[in-house]
Structure formats: structure tokens, C-alpha cells
Amino acid sequence: MRRLTDTDGLTEFQRDILRTVRDFVDAEVLPVASELDHADAYPDGIVTRLKELGVFGLTIDEQYGGLGESLLTYALVVEELARGWMSLSGIINTHFIVAYLIAAHGTQEQQDFFLPKMAAGEVRSALSMSEPDLGSDVAAIRTAARRDGDDYVISGQKMWLTNGATSSLVALLARTEEDAGQPHRNLTAFLIEKAPGFGETRSGLTVPGKIHKLGYKGVDTTELILDDCRVPANRVLGEAPGKGFYQFMDGIEVGRVNVAARGCGVALRAFELAVTYARSRRTFGKIIGEHQAISFKLAEMATKVTAAHQMMVMAARRKAAGGQSDVEAGMAKYLAAEYCKEVVEDSLRIHGGYGYSTEHEIERLYRDAPMLLIGEGTAEIQKMIIGRRLVRDYPAGA
């Protein structure tokens, strides 16, 4: 029944990539995912294999040592990885967003310097936008960068960095003094190199420790404290001060496609577990999948898995084609996250009491799914973006 998430129009090379990742997930991820999750252990061995498979260079141009694949291929790979363990998709997500930002907005020197190392997985990346009191109001960023000769000096506190410790490159959004009357034009994106690990990983830059979470284990989520951290001016993304908000929003659309793909992968795995259990568990003389209440629930779950996948594919293709895709990415993220939550909960209900046991995989998915409702913007933020664009741009009388 993998036709639920089959995708039309793929090349044979794309299908080969997906088969390779799917086989890798079945053989090397699913058998250890719950153990790593319960230990909250970073999957070093799996990450090494991802490097060997070329996943870190999936979308990076061939001239820099990558595979040069499309955003659609990336999203479908994320879906396969999230089916095995959602944390793996987090490890590559910010890496891909930063690679996209550098490829789309970086100078030639920045592209030549970073992209080959990123394609090989030698440099792995984090994205830093959120702050402790920020919420969704990006224009209210307080972390400040002041120009000092050939450098910028940055001070402030950042929050919710995925890969904050394991990364060696952070794309960070800070306030500068480009246009005081236009808050969004007062933000600048910086490419900050650091050593992996916790503590002071660069002069003036400290990663305090891991934030402990309900789910989404293994991948490190951290704060970032900057205290007069000196960054060369040539590490402003694109050497374009004041353009950071627009650059980051472009990258966040990539991130929303990623979160949609994660939702698709987690929902598919929850559905697979539900079907397997419904075929093996017997009550009243027959397997529970033959009871109408369960078969109807499975039908609803399969429909949601398929609808979310198709929406995610549409958004990925739209973004890959160029131009603004905030509506499509927002719709895909919103729908896939909500459907994922519903499918996972229905799968847990089908498992009954066993679903509440840590010995069963569905318990892990039940803890992972809520992160998708929040990451890259809540449902409310997505609906606000979609609604505003519809009011502004939808043809009158249509």
C-alpha cells in the first residue's frame, strides 16, 4: 500500500534515491530508533551513514560536490527518514535551509567556501531566529549587531536552535541599524562559524546545554548566548545588511515544506503500525481490522496520509519552480501537521492499552507529533499567512 504516498513524474534516479533511503531506514533506523529516543542519544552512527549516502549534499549543486537534486527530492527523502525516526529529519532540516540560503543569497566567496564542506557533511548547520520572548514576531528581535570597523559585534540570547551543539555553522538573524523606521529592514543575516559542542564554542558565543523535550529526542535543541561575539563583515549573508528578514523568510518556506514532509512520514508510519496491529489483534472471534469501527478509522487515516502527501508534493514543486510559495508551503505545513496528529492519535487508540506502553513504537510517535504543530510556525500563523494572501491577491469575483 505504499501507493498512498507514491509520487507521479519522478525520474528513475529520484526513485533510486528514495529506494536507497527507504531500505536504509528499514534496515538501520527502525530497529534502533526507539532505543535511541528513550536514551535521548545523538545518532552518530546513523549520521555517519547519511554522510556516506550523500544526503547532506542532496540539494547542493554538483559543482560543489552535491547531487544537485530538487526540493521535491529533498522533501521525499525527509518523508522517508521521518517515517523511521523524525529526529533524523531535524538533523538535516536546518542544514538544508542554511545551504539553500547560501546558494540563493550568498556571495560567490561564501558559496565556494561553505557549500563543498556542507555537501560532504563536514560542516553541519543550525538556524537561529527565535528568542526567549520573541514568539512569532520576528520584527521584535532584540539580539543586536553593531558595526565595528571590518567586523560586527553581536550580543543577545537566542532560543530553540536545532543542532545548536552539533553544528559548526549558524545562520543567525540579528538587529542592525539599516532603517530604524522599517523594523523588517533592520534585520541582518550572519553566517557564524563555531566549534561543535557545548560551552564557549567561539569567543563570545556560548551554547549553554541541551533543552529537554517531550519528544523529538536525540537531536540537540539549545539556546545560544552571544556576548560581544565578533563576526567579520564578509560573513553577512550576501554581504547585504538589512536583507536578513527577507532572506530568512525565503528559507523558512523550505523549512515548512520539510515540516510537512515530516508530518507525512510520521503519519505513514503510524498508519503502518495501526494496520499491522489491526491484522494481528483478535477480538470476538476475528481480527479487529474486520470490525467496522476499526476499518472505518483505517480508511480515514489512509485518506489523510494521502491528502497530506499530495499537498506536500505540490508545495515542494511550487517552491522548486521559483517565485513566492508562502501560501502553498503554509497550507502543506498546516494540513500535514494537523493530519499527522490525528492519524497518530487514531493509531494509538487502535493499539489500546499497548499503545501507552513504551515498548510499542506508537508511543514514540505520539510524543513526536506535537512538535510539528509548533515548528516553523503554528497553525494559527499559517492560517494568518494564507488568509492575508487570499484577501490581497485572490481575483475579485472568482
Side-chain angles (χ1 to χ4, degrees):
M1 290 293 289
R2 284 308 296 267
R3 70 173 180 268
L4 293 179
T5 57
D6 196 19
T7 306
D8 294 331
L10 299 182
T11 66
E12 192 56 39
F13 184 58
Q14 287 174 310
R15 294 191 179 278
D16 285 344
I17 291 173
L18 295 178
R19 277 192 291 266
T20 299
V21 175
R22 187 176 306 144
D23 291 345
F24 165 72
V25 166
D26 287 340
E28 301 185 44
V29 177
L30 283 171
V32 300
S34 289
E35 179 183 353
L36 290 168
D37 170 89
H38 292 151
D40 198 7
Y42 189 80
D44 288 299
I46 294 176
V47 170
T48 297
R49 289 286 291 123
L50 290 175
K51 289 168 62 176
E52 293 170 354
L53 291 171
V55 170
F56 284 100
L58 185 65
T59 61
I60 295 174
D61 197 274
E62 291 176 301
Q63 66 175 312
Y64 300 114
L67 294 176
E69 274 297 317
S70 68
L71 180 62
L72 175 61
T73 309
Y74 155 73
L76 295 175
V77 166
V78 167
E79 182 180 37
E80 294 291 347
L81 291 175
R83 172 181 162 267
W85 187 22
M86 193 181 80
S87 294
L88 297 182
S89 62
I91 289 170
I92 65 172
N93 180 38
T94 55
H95 180 83
F96 278 128
I97 293 175
V98 176
Y100 172 84
L101 288 174
I102 293 172
H105 302 287
T107 65
Q108 189 64 56
E109 185 275 332
Q110 290 167 352
Q111 293 170 6
D112 292 342
F113 183 82
F114 287 113
L115 292 180
K117 299 173 186 177
M118 296 178 75
E122 297 170 6
V123 167
R124 301 208 299 275
S125 309
L127 191 77
S128 181
M129 182 168 62
S130 186
E131 295 181 2
D133 299 320
L134 186 60
S136 300
D137 186 5
V138 178
I141 279 177
R142 295 180 180 178
T143 297
R146 58 179 174 83
R147 186 69 184 255
D148 184 18
D150 292 333
D151 299 332
Y152 281 86
V153 180
I154 309 176
S155 293
Q157 183 180 6
K158 291 293 188 177
M159 194 73 174
W160 306 117
L161 275 79
T162 301
N163 303 316
T166 49
S167 61
S168 49
L169 173 66
V170 178
L172 180 142
L173 198 59
R175 181 164 301 288
T176 50
E177 298 178 351
E178 309 310 318
D179 188 343
Q182 296 287 333
H184 292 94
R185 296 180 185 175
N186 236 6
L187 298 172
T188 296
F190 294 89
L191 301 172
I192 305 178
E193 299 168 80
K194 69 175 188 66
F198 294 100
E200 189 171 35
T201 57
R202 175 191 177 112
S203 180
L205 187 151
T206 300
V207 181
K210 184 187 293 187
I211 298 171
H212 297 284
K213 310 180 294 289
L214 168 70
Y216 197 36
K217 303 283 190 175
V219 59
D220 50 290
T221 305
T222 75
E223 296 178 69
L224 188 67
I225 297 173
L226 303 106
D227 184 9
D228 288 343
C229 179
R230 189 170 288 272
V231 178
N234 65 6
R235 285 298 174 255
V236 169
L237 180 62
E239 295 192 23
K243 301 295 185 183
F245 175 81
Y246 306 99
Q247 294 166 341
F248 262 58
M249 290 305 103
D250 185 23
I252 289 298
E253 289 178 13
V254 174
R256 285 176 179 150
V257 172
N258 171 286
V259 173
R262 293 190 214 187
C264 294
V266 173
L268 175 61
R269 183 58 182 166
F271 173 75
E272 290 174 345
L273 293 172
V275 169
T276 300
Y277 189 80
R279 286 172 174 164
S280 62
R281 175 71 167 168
R282 301 184 68 86
T283 62
F284 304 102
K286 58 184 176 181
I287 60 172
I288 64 171
E290 293 178 352
H291 293 292
Q292 189 177 71
I294 301 300
S295 67
F296 278 14
K297 194 172 290 293
L298 291 172
E300 293 169 1
M301 294 164 70
T303 301
K304 290 175 181 178
V305 167
T306 301
H309 174 84
Q310 295 300 333
M311 180 71 82
M312 178 271 291
V313 168
M314 179 271 293
R317 283 182 163 145
R318 171 75 177 185
K319 180 65 176 174
Q324 193 167 20
S325 56
D326 52 347
V327 169
E328 292 80 5
M331 286 179 170
K333 191 274 174 187
Y334 166 53
L335 188 78
E338 296 293 332
Y339 276 180
C340 176
K341 176 201 68 172
E342 294 170 10
V343 170
V344 167
E345 182 174 335
D346 282 343
S347 182
L348 184 138
R349 288 171 181 265
I350 288 171
H351 281 77
Y354 289 107
Y356 204 60
S357 166
T358 58
E359 295 180 6
H360 283 255
E361 187 180 341
I362 188 61
E363 172 268 345
R364 168 169 58 84
L365 305 186
Y366 192 74
R367 288 184 289 104
D368 281 346
M371 197 286 293
L372 301 174
L373 302 173
I374 302 166
E376 310 295 5
T378 63
E380 290 72 24
I381 290 296
Q382 307 311 320
K383 287 188 279 189
M384 182 178 69
I385 292 169
I386 296 164
R388 283 178 176 175
R389 289 274 287 164
L390 293 176
V391 171
R392 190 185 76 187
D393 296 342
Y394 204 75

